[in-house]
Tab-separated table of all heavy atoms in Angstrom:
chain	number	residue	atom	x	y	z
J	486	ILE	N	-13.997	279.051	228.740
J	486	ILE	CA	-13.391	279.424	230.012
J	486	ILE	C	-12.936	280.873	229.908
J	486	ILE	O	-12.270	281.254	228.951
J	486	ILE	CB	-12.191	278.527	230.351
J	486	ILE	CG1	-12.668	277.091	230.544
J	486	ILE	CG2	-11.472	279.026	231.595
J	486	ILE	CD1	-11.569	276.100	230.797
J	487	VAL	N	-13.295	281.663	230.893
J	487	VAL	CA	-12.877	283.057	230.939
J	487	VAL	C	-11.374	283.082	231.227
J	487	VAL	O	-10.921	282.526	232.229
J	487	VAL	CB	-13.658	283.838	232.022
J	487	VAL	CG1	-13.158	285.263	232.123
J	487	VAL	CG2	-15.157	283.796	231.734
J	488	GLN	N	-10.616	283.704	230.338
J	488	GLN	CA	-9.164	283.762	230.494
J	488	GLN	C	-8.723	284.922	231.385
J	488	GLN	O	-7.838	284.762	232.211
J	488	GLN	CB	-8.491	283.881	229.125
J	488	GLN	CG	-8.758	282.703	228.223
J	488	GLN	CD	-8.150	281.422	228.765
J	488	GLN	OE1	-7.016	281.407	229.211
J	488	GLN	NE2	-8.909	280.357	228.727
J	489	SER	N	-9.343	286.079	231.180
J	489	SER	CA	-8.995	287.255	231.975
J	489	SER	C	-10.148	288.245	231.908
J	489	SER	O	-10.997	288.166	231.026
J	489	SER	CB	-7.705	287.903	231.474
J	489	SER	OG	-7.879	288.387	230.163
J	490	ILE	N	-10.153	289.155	232.853
J	490	ILE	CA	-11.184	290.192	232.923
J	490	ILE	C	-10.475	291.540	232.963
J	490	ILE	O	-9.575	291.756	233.771
J	490	ILE	CB	-12.056	290.038	234.189
J	490	ILE	CG1	-12.765	288.685	234.207
J	490	ILE	CG2	-13.038	291.180	234.319
J	490	ILE	CD1	-13.831	288.508	233.168
J	491	THR	N	-10.893	292.429	232.102
J	491	THR	CA	-10.339	293.776	232.078
J	491	THR	C	-11.003	294.603	233.179
J	491	THR	O	-12.233	294.641	233.253
J	491	THR	CB	-10.597	294.433	230.708
J	491	THR	OG1	-10.045	293.595	229.696
J	491	THR	CG2	-10.000	295.822	230.646
J	492	PRO	N	-10.205	295.233	234.044
J	492	PRO	CA	-10.809	296.106	235.054
J	492	PRO	C	-11.679	297.164	234.376
J	492	PRO	O	-11.391	297.590	233.267
J	492	PRO	CB	-9.592	296.754	235.741
J	492	PRO	CG	-8.463	295.821	235.473
J	492	PRO	CD	-8.752	295.210	234.121
J	493	GLU	N	-12.740	297.547	235.020
J	493	GLU	CA	-13.679	298.547	234.496
J	493	GLU	C	-14.560	298.023	233.370
J	493	GLU	O	-15.338	298.775	232.800
J	493	GLU	CB	-12.958	299.822	234.025
J	493	GLU	CG	-12.077	300.451	235.075
J	493	GLU	CD	-12.831	300.843	236.334
J	493	GLU	OE1	-13.966	301.351	236.241
J	493	GLU	OE2	-12.294	300.618	237.423
J	494	SER	N	-14.456	296.752	233.014
J	494	SER	CA	-15.313	296.188	231.969
J	494	SER	C	-16.666	295.784	232.561
J	494	SER	O	-16.828	295.699	233.783
J	494	SER	CB	-14.650	294.967	231.336
J	494	SER	OG	-14.585	293.905	232.269
J	495	LEU	N	-17.631	295.523	231.680
J	495	LEU	CA	-18.931	295.027	232.149
J	495	LEU	C	-18.764	293.730	232.921
J	495	LEU	O	-19.411	293.513	233.932
J	495	LEU	CB	-19.873	294.796	230.965
J	495	LEU	CG	-20.399	296.032	230.263
J	495	LEU	CD1	-21.195	295.624	229.037
J	495	LEU	CD2	-21.250	296.851	231.200
J	496	ALA	N	-17.903	292.864	232.437
J	496	ALA	CA	-17.694	291.572	233.091
J	496	ALA	C	-17.163	291.748	234.514
J	496	ALA	O	-17.594	291.059	235.438
J	496	ALA	CB	-16.740	290.714	232.273
J	497	ALA	N	-16.233	292.667	234.703
J	497	ALA	CA	-15.676	292.908	236.037
J	497	ALA	C	-16.763	293.409	236.986
J	497	ALA	O	-16.802	293.035	238.152
J	497	ALA	CB	-14.534	293.903	235.969
J	498	GLY	N	-17.659	294.220	236.475
J	498	GLY	CA	-18.730	294.765	237.294
J	498	GLY	C	-19.806	293.750	237.641
J	498	GLY	O	-20.645	294.002	238.499
J	499	GLN	N	-19.797	292.589	236.999
J	499	GLN	CA	-20.814	291.565	237.247
J	499	GLN	C	-20.217	290.323	237.905
J	499	GLN	O	-20.763	289.249	237.840
J	499	GLN	CB	-21.507	291.187	235.939
J	499	GLN	CG	-22.180	292.345	235.251
J	499	GLN	CD	-23.175	293.065	236.129
J	499	GLN	OE1	-23.932	292.445	236.854
J	499	GLN	NE2	-23.172	294.378	236.091
J	500	ASP	N	-19.067	290.464	238.516
J	500	ASP	CA	-18.435	289.391	239.276
J	500	ASP	C	-18.055	288.193	238.419
J	500	ASP	O	-18.105	287.060	238.873
J	500	ASP	CB	-19.328	288.955	240.447
J	500	ASP	CG	-18.604	288.033	241.421
J	500	ASP	OD1	-17.388	288.229	241.610
J	500	ASP	OD2	-19.246	287.120	241.954
J	501	LEU	N	-17.687	288.404	237.174
J	501	LEU	CA	-17.091	287.329	236.392
J	501	LEU	C	-15.611	287.292	236.720
J	501	LEU	O	-15.001	288.335	236.968
J	501	LEU	CB	-17.280	287.567	234.890
J	501	LEU	CG	-18.678	287.291	234.362
J	501	LEU	CD1	-18.774	287.721	232.914
J	501	LEU	CD2	-19.025	285.821	234.484
J	502	ARG	N	-15.038	286.094	236.742
J	502	ARG	CA	-13.634	285.939	237.112
J	502	ARG	C	-12.922	285.013	236.138
J	502	ARG	O	-13.548	284.142	235.522
J	502	ARG	CB	-13.527	285.329	238.503
J	502	ARG	CG	-14.167	286.160	239.580
J	502	ARG	CD	-14.011	285.495	240.916
J	502	ARG	NE	-14.832	286.179	241.909
J	502	ARG	CZ	-15.126	285.670	243.085
J	502	ARG	NH1	-14.660	284.480	243.427
J	502	ARG	NH2	-15.869	286.336	243.926
J	503	ALA	N	-11.617	285.185	236.036
J	503	ALA	CA	-10.806	284.259	235.249
J	503	ALA	C	-11.031	282.855	235.798
J	503	ALA	O	-11.085	282.651	237.009
J	503	ALA	CB	-9.338	284.655	235.328
J	504	GLY	N	-11.223	281.899	234.908
J	504	GLY	CA	-11.480	280.512	235.305
J	504	GLY	C	-12.946	280.137	235.289
J	504	GLY	O	-13.285	278.953	235.298
J	505	ASP	N	-13.848	281.141	235.273
J	505	ASP	CA	-15.283	280.842	235.148
J	505	ASP	C	-15.538	280.188	233.797
J	505	ASP	O	-14.882	280.516	232.807
J	505	ASP	CB	-16.128	282.118	235.244
J	505	ASP	CG	-16.200	282.697	236.649
J	505	ASP	OD1	-15.767	282.029	237.604
J	505	ASP	OD2	-16.700	283.831	236.774
J	506	VAL	N	-16.499	279.290	233.757
J	506	VAL	CA	-16.880	278.636	232.511
J	506	VAL	C	-18.293	279.096	232.160
J	506	VAL	O	-19.236	278.847	232.919
J	506	VAL	CB	-16.845	277.092	232.652
J	506	VAL	CG1	-17.288	276.429	231.359
J	506	VAL	CG2	-15.454	276.622	233.053
J	507	VAL	N	-18.431	279.791	231.035
J	507	VAL	CA	-19.748	280.246	230.580
J	507	VAL	C	-20.368	279.111	229.779
J	507	VAL	O	-19.825	278.679	228.765
J	507	VAL	CB	-19.637	281.518	229.719
J	507	VAL	CG1	-21.019	281.952	229.231
J	507	VAL	CG2	-18.975	282.647	230.504
J	508	THR	N	-21.514	278.607	230.248
J	508	THR	CA	-22.167	277.466	229.600
J	508	THR	C	-23.393	277.866	228.786
J	508	THR	O	-23.820	277.107	227.918
J	508	THR	CB	-22.570	276.404	230.638
J	508	THR	OG1	-23.443	276.997	231.604
J	508	THR	CG2	-21.338	275.840	231.337
J	509	GLU	N	-23.961	279.046	229.072
J	509	GLU	CA	-25.127	279.520	228.318
J	509	GLU	C	-25.090	281.041	228.204
J	509	GLU	O	-24.631	281.723	229.118
J	509	GLU	CB	-26.446	279.145	229.000
J	509	GLU	CG	-26.769	277.684	228.987
J	509	GLU	CD	-28.144	277.391	229.580
J	509	GLU	OE1	-28.879	278.326	229.985
J	509	GLU	OE2	-28.497	276.206	229.646
J	510	VAL	N	-25.610	281.530	227.097
J	510	VAL	CA	-25.854	282.961	226.887
J	510	VAL	C	-27.321	283.091	226.527
J	510	VAL	O	-27.771	282.525	225.524
J	510	VAL	CB	-24.964	283.541	225.762
J	510	VAL	CG1	-25.339	284.986	225.475
J	510	VAL	CG2	-23.491	283.422	226.115
J	511	ASN	N	-28.077	283.790	227.366
J	511	ASN	CA	-29.524	283.954	227.140
J	511	ASN	C	-30.205	282.618	226.836
J	511	ASN	O	-30.952	282.492	225.872
J	511	ASN	CB	-29.787	284.978	226.034
J	511	ASN	CG	-29.490	286.386	226.481
J	511	ASN	OD1	-29.483	286.690	227.668
J	511	ASN	ND2	-29.215	287.256	225.533
J	512	HIS	N	-29.937	281.623	227.668
J	512	HIS	CA	-30.558	280.287	227.594
J	512	HIS	C	-30.150	279.484	226.363
J	512	HIS	O	-30.793	278.493	226.042
J	512	HIS	CB	-32.085	280.379	227.677
J	512	HIS	CG	-32.564	281.064	228.915
J	512	HIS	ND1	-32.482	280.496	230.166
J	512	HIS	CD2	-33.102	282.288	229.093
J	512	HIS	CE1	-32.974	281.344	231.057
J	512	HIS	NE2	-33.349	282.437	230.438
J	513	GLN	N	-29.091	279.905	225.674
J	513	GLN	CA	-28.580	279.134	224.536
J	513	GLN	C	-27.229	278.552	224.928
J	513	GLN	O	-26.332	279.274	225.388
J	513	GLN	CB	-28.445	280.018	223.296
J	513	GLN	CG	-29.784	280.515	222.793
J	513	GLN	CD	-29.654	281.312	221.505
J	513	GLN	OE1	-28.571	281.690	221.094
J	513	GLN	NE2	-30.781	281.568	220.869
J	514	THR	N	-27.086	277.238	224.753
J	514	THR	CA	-25.874	276.539	225.151
J	514	THR	C	-24.666	277.024	224.362
J	514	THR	O	-24.732	277.186	223.148
J	514	THR	CB	-26.050	275.020	224.949
J	514	THR	OG1	-27.172	274.596	225.724
J	514	THR	CG2	-24.825	274.259	225.392
J	515	VAL	N	-23.571	277.237	225.069
J	515	VAL	CA	-22.304	277.630	224.456
J	515	VAL	C	-21.441	276.383	224.304
J	515	VAL	O	-21.161	275.696	225.281
J	515	VAL	CB	-21.563	278.670	225.325
J	515	VAL	CG1	-20.190	278.973	224.765
J	515	VAL	CG2	-22.381	279.933	225.461
J	516	GLU	N	-21.042	276.105	223.064
J	516	GLU	CA	-20.245	274.909	222.807
J	516	GLU	C	-18.825	275.225	222.347
J	516	GLU	O	-17.996	274.317	222.243
J	516	GLU	CB	-20.952	274.023	221.792
J	516	GLU	CG	-22.281	273.511	222.329
J	516	GLU	CD	-23.016	272.607	221.371
J	516	GLU	OE1	-22.454	272.234	220.326
J	516	GLU	OE2	-24.166	272.260	221.679
J	517	SER	N	-18.526	276.504	222.068
J	517	SER	CA	-17.187	276.871	221.626
J	517	SER	C	-16.974	278.372	221.862
J	517	SER	O	-17.942	279.128	221.992
J	517	SER	CB	-17.017	276.573	220.135
J	517	SER	OG	-17.803	277.466	219.363
J	518	PRO	N	-15.716	278.804	221.890
J	518	PRO	CA	-15.455	280.244	222.022
J	518	PRO	C	-16.062	281.061	220.873
J	518	PRO	O	-16.578	282.153	221.100
J	518	PRO	CB	-13.924	280.332	222.007
J	518	PRO	CG	-13.480	279.000	222.528
J	518	PRO	CD	-14.488	278.015	221.980
J	519	ASP	N	-16.021	280.514	219.660
J	519	ASP	CA	-16.615	281.232	218.524
J	519	ASP	C	-18.115	281.400	218.698
J	519	ASP	O	-18.673	282.459	218.411
J	519	ASP	CB	-16.325	280.506	217.208
J	519	ASP	CG	-14.864	280.630	216.787
J	519	ASP	OD1	-14.184	281.573	217.237
J	519	ASP	OD2	-14.412	279.774	216.006
J	520	GLN	N	-18.771	280.352	219.169
J	520	GLN	CA	-20.219	280.438	219.392
J	520	GLN	C	-20.523	281.441	220.501
J	520	GLN	O	-21.497	282.182	220.414
J	520	GLN	CB	-20.796	279.067	219.735
J	520	GLN	CG	-22.303	279.107	219.883
J	520	GLN	CD	-22.887	277.796	220.337
J	520	GLN	OE1	-22.226	277.003	221.002
J	520	GLN	NE2	-24.137	277.569	219.978
J	521	PHE	N	-19.701	281.462	221.544
J	521	PHE	CA	-19.875	282.436	222.614
J	521	PHE	C	-19.848	283.851	222.049
J	521	PHE	O	-20.725	284.668	222.338
J	521	PHE	CB	-18.779	282.251	223.669
J	521	PHE	CG	-18.785	283.306	224.741
J	521	PHE	CD1	-19.786	283.343	225.691
J	521	PHE	CD2	-17.784	284.266	224.794
J	521	PHE	CE1	-19.788	284.323	226.685
J	521	PHE	CE2	-17.777	285.238	225.770
J	521	PHE	CZ	-18.783	285.264	226.725
J	522	GLN	N	-18.847	284.147	221.225
J	522	GLN	CA	-18.742	285.474	220.621
J	522	GLN	C	-19.946	285.783	219.736
J	522	GLN	O	-20.453	286.901	219.742
J	522	GLN	CB	-17.445	285.585	219.808
J	522	GLN	CG	-16.200	285.586	220.658
J	522	GLN	CD	-16.119	286.776	221.590
J	522	GLN	OE1	-16.567	287.869	221.278
J	522	GLN	NE2	-15.544	286.560	222.760
J	523	GLU	N	-20.396	284.792	218.985
J	523	GLU	CA	-21.561	284.976	218.114
J	523	GLU	C	-22.813	285.284	218.931
J	523	GLU	O	-23.581	286.189	218.596
J	523	GLU	CB	-21.770	283.712	217.288
J	523	GLU	CG	-22.900	283.811	216.292
J	523	GLU	CD	-23.041	282.529	215.485
J	523	GLU	OE1	-22.019	281.978	215.032
J	523	GLU	OE2	-24.194	282.084	215.330
J	524	LEU	N	-23.017	284.543	220.013
J	524	LEU	CA	-24.194	284.757	220.861
J	524	LEU	C	-24.141	286.123	221.530
J	524	LEU	O	-25.160	286.817	221.620
J	524	LEU	CB	-24.318	283.647	221.902
J	524	LEU	CG	-24.683	282.269	221.362
J	524	LEU	CD1	-24.539	281.212	222.453
J	524	LEU	CD2	-26.087	282.261	220.785
J	525	LEU	N	-22.973	286.521	221.994
J	525	LEU	CA	-22.841	287.849	222.594
J	525	LEU	C	-23.125	288.936	221.572
J	525	LEU	O	-23.802	289.920	221.873
J	525	LEU	CB	-21.431	288.056	223.148
J	525	LEU	CG	-21.143	287.534	224.536
J	525	LEU	CD1	-19.724	287.905	224.939
J	525	LEU	CD2	-22.132	288.008	225.556
J	526	GLY	N	-22.606	288.754	220.364
J	526	GLY	CA	-22.805	289.746	219.309
J	526	GLY	C	-24.265	289.924	218.919
J	526	GLY	O	-24.674	291.003	218.520
J	527	GLY	N	-25.059	288.871	219.068
J	527	GLY	CA	-26.470	288.942	218.709
J	527	GLY	C	-27.386	289.310	219.863
J	527	GLY	O	-28.590	289.423	219.688
J	528	ALA	N	-26.810	289.521	221.043
J	528	ALA	CA	-27.623	289.819	222.235
J	528	ALA	C	-27.757	291.327	222.425
J	528	ALA	O	-26.935	292.101	221.959
J	528	ALA	CB	-26.974	289.194	223.464
J	529	SER	N	-28.806	291.715	223.133
J	529	SER	CA	-29.071	293.126	223.398
J	529	SER	C	-28.568	293.505	224.782
J	529	SER	O	-29.124	293.077	225.791
J	529	SER	CB	-30.569	293.409	223.318
J	529	SER	OG	-30.850	294.719	223.779
J	530	LEU	N	-27.523	294.307	224.827
J	530	LEU	CA	-26.992	294.761	226.099
J	530	LEU	C	-28.005	295.644	226.820
J	530	LEU	O	-28.062	295.667	228.045
J	530	LEU	CB	-25.682	295.510	225.874
J	530	LEU	CG	-24.866	295.847	227.106
J	530	LEU	CD1	-24.561	294.603	227.925
J	530	LEU	CD2	-23.591	296.546	226.709
J	531	LYS	N	-28.829	296.327	226.053
J	531	LYS	CA	-29.848	297.197	226.644
J	531	LYS	C	-30.818	296.386	227.515
J	531	LYS	O	-31.226	296.817	228.584
J	531	LYS	CB	-30.616	297.910	225.535
J	531	LYS	CG	-31.388	299.122	226.006
J	531	LYS	CD	-32.144	299.766	224.864
J	531	LYS	CE	-31.213	300.636	224.045
J	531	LYS	NZ	-31.937	301.454	223.053
J	532	LYS	N	-31.164	295.178	227.055
J	532	LYS	CA	-32.061	294.292	227.813
J	532	LYS	C	-31.318	293.533	228.900
J	532	LYS	O	-31.922	293.028	229.830
J	532	LYS	CB	-32.704	293.272	226.876
J	532	LYS	CG	-33.676	293.847	225.900
J	532	LYS	CD	-34.260	292.741	225.049
J	532	LYS	CE	-35.253	293.255	224.051
J	532	LYS	NZ	-35.801	292.175	223.218
J	533	GLY	N	-30.014	293.416	228.761
J	533	GLY	CA	-29.213	292.608	229.671
J	533	GLY	C	-28.933	291.260	229.023
J	533	GLY	O	-29.755	290.731	228.276
J	534	ILE	N	-27.755	290.728	229.294
J	534	ILE	CA	-27.357	289.446	228.726
J	534	ILE	C	-27.188	288.465	229.879
J	534	ILE	O	-26.338	288.666	230.754
J	534	ILE	CB	-26.052	289.581	227.923
J	534	ILE	CG1	-26.226	290.600	226.789
J	534	ILE	CG2	-25.624	288.217	227.381
J	534	ILE	CD1	-24.941	290.982	226.092
J	535	LEU	N	-28.001	287.430	229.887
J	535	LEU	CA	-27.965	286.427	230.948
J	535	LEU	C	-26.906	285.378	230.631
J	535	LEU	O	-26.936	284.757	229.565
J	535	LEU	CB	-29.334	285.755	231.084
J	535	LEU	CG	-29.438	284.670	232.148
J	535	LEU	CD1	-29.263	285.261	233.546
J	535	LEU	CD2	-30.777	283.958	232.030
J	536	LEU	N	-25.964	285.215	231.548
J	536	LEU	CA	-24.927	284.204	231.396
J	536	LEU	C	-25.090	283.147	232.474
J	536	LEU	O	-25.269	283.487	233.647
J	536	LEU	CB	-23.533	284.821	231.554
J	536	LEU	CG	-23.152	285.970	230.634
J	536	LEU	CD1	-21.759	286.469	230.995
J	536	LEU	CD2	-23.220	285.543	229.181
J	537	GLN	N	-25.064	281.887	232.084
J	537	GLN	CA	-24.957	280.820	233.074
J	537	GLN	C	-23.475	280.507	233.176
J	537	GLN	O	-22.803	280.282	232.167
J	537	GLN	CB	-25.730	279.574	232.698
J	537	GLN	CG	-25.641	278.530	233.793
J	537	GLN	CD	-26.572	277.355	233.579
J	537	GLN	OE1	-27.231	277.230	232.553
J	537	GLN	NE2	-26.626	276.484	234.552
J	538	VAL	N	-22.974	280.509	234.401
J	538	VAL	CA	-21.546	280.375	234.654
J	538	VAL	C	-21.317	279.270	235.676
J	538	VAL	O	-22.075	279.139	236.639
J	538	VAL	CB	-20.979	281.706	235.207
J	538	VAL	CG1	-19.522	281.600	235.553
J	538	VAL	CG2	-21.209	282.834	234.216
J	539	VAL	N	-20.265	278.480	235.465
J	539	VAL	CA	-19.859	277.491	236.454
J	539	VAL	C	-18.532	277.965	237.050
J	539	VAL	O	-17.585	278.244	236.323
J	539	VAL	CB	-19.692	276.091	235.827
J	539	VAL	CG1	-19.196	275.094	236.864
J	539	VAL	CG2	-21.007	275.619	235.221
J	540	ARG	N	-18.523	278.087	238.380
J	540	ARG	CA	-17.316	278.496	239.106
J	540	ARG	C	-17.059	277.478	240.207
J	540	ARG	O	-17.946	277.226	241.026
J	540	ARG	CB	-17.495	279.883	239.712
J	540	ARG	CG	-16.284	280.321	240.539
J	540	ARG	CD	-16.477	281.664	241.179
J	540	ARG	NE	-16.614	282.693	240.159
J	540	ARG	CZ	-17.179	283.879	240.383
J	540	ARG	NH1	-17.651	284.180	241.574
J	540	ARG	NH2	-17.271	284.744	239.399
J	541	ASP	N	-15.894	276.904	240.199
J	541	ASP	CA	-15.529	275.899	241.210
J	541	ASP	C	-16.569	274.792	241.295
J	541	ASP	O	-16.927	274.341	242.386
J	541	ASP	CB	-15.339	276.558	242.580
J	541	ASP	CG	-14.212	277.584	242.578
J	541	ASP	OD1	-13.217	277.367	241.864
J	541	ASP	OD2	-14.345	278.596	243.288
J	542	GLY	N	-17.105	274.384	240.135
J	542	GLY	CA	-18.072	273.297	240.082
J	542	GLY	C	-19.498	273.694	240.426
J	542	GLY	O	-20.402	272.868	240.367
J	543	GLN	N	-19.719	274.947	240.774
J	543	GLN	CA	-21.046	275.415	241.175
J	543	GLN	C	-21.650	276.316	240.093
J	543	GLN	O	-21.040	277.323	239.719
J	543	GLN	CB	-20.965	276.197	242.488
J	543	GLN	CG	-20.460	275.386	243.655
J	543	GLN	CD	-21.384	274.239	243.998
J	543	GLN	OE1	-22.597	274.387	244.059
J	543	GLN	NE2	-20.808	273.065	244.207
J	544	PRO	N	-22.847	275.981	239.600
J	544	PRO	CA	-23.489	276.833	238.598
J	544	PRO	C	-24.071	278.100	239.223
J	544	PRO	O	-24.445	278.119	240.399
J	544	PRO	CB	-24.606	275.954	238.031
J	544	PRO	CG	-24.918	275.001	239.136
J	544	PRO	CD	-23.643	274.791	239.899
J	545	GLY	N	-24.127	279.134	238.425
J	545	GLY	CA	-24.730	280.384	238.859
J	545	GLY	C	-25.032	281.242	237.645
J	545	GLY	O	-24.728	280.865	236.513
J	546	PHE	N	-25.639	282.384	237.871
J	546	PHE	CA	-26.011	283.288	236.790
J	546	PHE	C	-25.407	284.660	237.024
J	546	PHE	O	-25.264	285.105	238.159
J	546	PHE	CB	-27.535	283.420	236.685
J	546	PHE	CG	-28.205	282.167	236.196
J	546	PHE	CD1	-28.720	281.246	237.093
J	546	PHE	CD2	-28.317	281.909	234.844
J	546	PHE	CE1	-29.331	280.087	236.647
J	546	PHE	CE2	-28.917	280.759	234.390
J	546	PHE	CZ	-29.422	279.847	235.306
J	547	ARG	N	-25.085	285.338	235.928
J	547	ARG	CA	-24.643	286.719	235.943
J	547	ARG	C	-25.409	287.424	234.824
J	547	ARG	O	-25.715	286.812	233.812
J	547	ARG	CB	-23.147	286.855	235.658
J	547	ARG	CG	-22.236	286.068	236.583
J	547	ARG	CD	-22.232	286.642	237.999
J	547	ARG	NE	-21.306	285.927	238.866
J	547	ARG	CZ	-21.584	284.809	239.514
J	547	ARG	NH1	-22.760	284.239	239.394
J	547	ARG	NH2	-20.684	284.248	240.300
J	548	VAL	N	-25.693	288.694	235.017
J	548	VAL	CA	-26.362	289.471	233.972
J	548	VAL	C	-25.441	290.622	233.587
J	548	VAL	O	-25.059	291.432	234.440
J	548	VAL	CB	-27.719	290.023	234.457
J	548	VAL	CG1	-28.361	290.886	233.379
J	548	VAL	CG2	-28.641	288.887	234.869
J	549	LEU	N	-25.070	290.655	232.315
J	549	LEU	CA	-24.287	291.782	231.811
J	549	LEU	C	-25.247	292.873	231.387
J	549	LEU	O	-26.174	292.633	230.616
J	549	LEU	CB	-23.450	291.350	230.597
J	549	LEU	CG	-22.373	290.312	230.848
J	549	LEU	CD1	-21.638	290.027	229.532
J	549	LEU	CD2	-21.410	290.741	231.916
J	550	LYS	N	-25.048	294.050	231.910
J	550	LYS	CA	-25.879	295.187	231.553
J	550	LYS	C	-25.059	296.455	231.715
J	550	LYS	O	-24.069	296.469	232.450
J	550	LYS	CB	-27.150	295.235	232.380
J	550	LYS	CG	-26.919	295.256	233.867
J	550	LYS	CD	-28.235	295.152	234.615
J	550	LYS	CE	-27.943	295.010	236.110
J	550	LYS	NZ	-29.134	294.802	236.879
J	551	PRO	N	-25.452	297.503	231.009
J	551	PRO	CA	-24.689	298.752	231.098
J	551	PRO	C	-24.684	299.277	232.529
J	551	PRO	O	-25.664	299.131	233.261
J	551	PRO	CB	-25.430	299.718	230.176
J	551	PRO	CG	-26.339	298.883	229.351
J	551	PRO	CD	-26.593	297.627	230.119
J	552	ARG	N	-23.570	299.864	232.886
J	552	ARG	CA	-23.490	300.498	234.204
J	552	ARG	C	-24.240	301.810	234.170
J	552	ARG	O	-24.222	302.523	233.174
J	552	ARG	CB	-22.039	300.775	234.567
J	552	ARG	CG	-21.261	299.534	234.790
J	552	ARG	CD	-19.856	299.893	235.171
J	552	ARG	NE	-19.070	298.676	235.285
J	552	ARG	CZ	-17.830	298.656	235.668
J	552	ARG	NH1	-17.219	299.770	235.966
J	552	ARG	NH2	-17.173	297.520	235.746
J	553	LYS	N	-24.871	302.138	235.274
J	553	LYS	CA	-25.545	303.434	235.374
J	553	LYS	C	-24.511	304.474	235.756
J	553	LYS	O	-23.708	304.271	236.647
J	553	LYS	CB	-26.661	303.381	236.414
J	553	LYS	CG	-27.770	302.446	236.004
J	553	LYS	CD	-28.884	302.441	236.996
J	553	LYS	CE	-29.968	301.477	236.522
J	553	LYS	NZ	-31.069	301.380	237.422
J	554	GLU	N	-24.533	305.555	235.033
J	554	GLU	CA	-23.560	306.637	235.288
J	554	GLU	C	-23.997	307.476	236.450
J	554	GLU	O	-25.070	307.711	236.746
J	554	GLU	CB	-23.417	307.511	234.032
J	554	GLU	CG	-22.893	306.740	232.848
J	554	GLU	CD	-21.476	306.208	233.018
J	554	GLU	OE1	-20.633	306.910	233.617
J	554	GLU	OE2	-21.208	305.085	232.590
């Protein structure tokens, strides 16, 4: 469960919100906060990181990618 979002972060720019539940990172199931961190650490931000997110019971997707300057 997303606890908080830092303004100006990649997550804030991709419409992630406190209370969202991340269930997958790049099509790999997330079963714990430690696994979430591990999956993020092994993902390529350059390619984009696909997150499956559940918000208010509704599944959806977000892609984390660098902001264009």
Side-chain angles (χ1 to χ4, degrees):
I486 296 176
V487 176
Q488 298 295 315
S489 64
I490 300 291
T491 304
E493 305 301 320
S494 68
L495 289 174
Q499 301 305 318
D500 191 34
L501 284 173
R502 299 180 190 165
D505 287 350
V506 178
V507 179
T508 58
E509 291 185 2
V510 174
N511 288 338
H512 303 289
Q513 295 184 348
T514 302
V515 174
E516 296 181 8
S517 70
D519 288 338
Q520 184 185 27
F521 174 71
Q522 291 297 327
E523 183 179 316
L524 291 170
L525 276 183
S529 171
L530 190 55
K531 198 181 280 189
K532 292 181 180 179
I534 301 170
L535 179 66
L536 303 178
Q537 183 171 6
V538 177
V539 177
R540 177 182 296 159
D541 298 325
Q543 298 297 315
F546 291 95
R547 304 291 183 276
V548 177
L549 295 181
K550 56 186 173 185
R552 293 181 184 184
K553 295 182 180 179
E554 298 296 322

